[in-house]
Amino acid sequence: MIATTWRKQAACRGLDVEVFYPATEDEVDAAEAKAVCAECPVRQLCLEHALAHREREGVWGGTTERERRRIVRQRRKSA
């Protein structure tokens, strides 16, 4: 799927972006965004985009920045 195409299918399309940029990375603050991501048909593509582009803020693909850093570290170890 082309990079811009997946965004058209995202569950978050049209929602207030503030939901995806919580004040903290606390699970409670990120819960609303993660709930949207949990139902998203392109969640994995969104996550891969965030990892590839080193998105440092916000919830992408159902993950916070801290969780994405953990994924990157795990992938480096297994590579």
Side-chain angles (χ1 to χ4, degrees):
M1 192 174 292
I2 299 172
T4 56
T5 304
W6 66 263
R7 291 181 185 193
K8 292 177 183 175
Q9 299 175 15
C12 61
R13 187 168 187 220
L15 297 180
D16 183 359
V17 296
E18 292 297 317
V19 170
F20 299 92
Y21 293 91
T24 71
E25 288 193 37
D26 183 82
E27 282 297 316
V28 173
D29 287 344
E32 184 178 357
K34 286 184 169 197
V36 173
C37 294
E39 302 297 322
C40 186
V42 293
R43 178 181 176 179
Q44 191 62 40
L45 292 170
C46 179
L47 174 58
E48 293 304 327
H49 167 85
L51 294 171
H53 293 90
R54 299 285 196 243
E55 294 290 349
R56 302 216 185 270
E57 296 180 2
V59 174
W60 290 80
T63 63
T64 62
E65 178 188 359
R66 182 181 308 127
E67 292 166 330
R68 291 191 299 277
R69 285 192 310 258
R70 188 177 317 124
I71 291 169
V72 168
R73 282 192 307 270
Q74 289 171 345
R75 287 183 178 182
R76 285 182 184 155
K77 286 180 183 179
S78 61

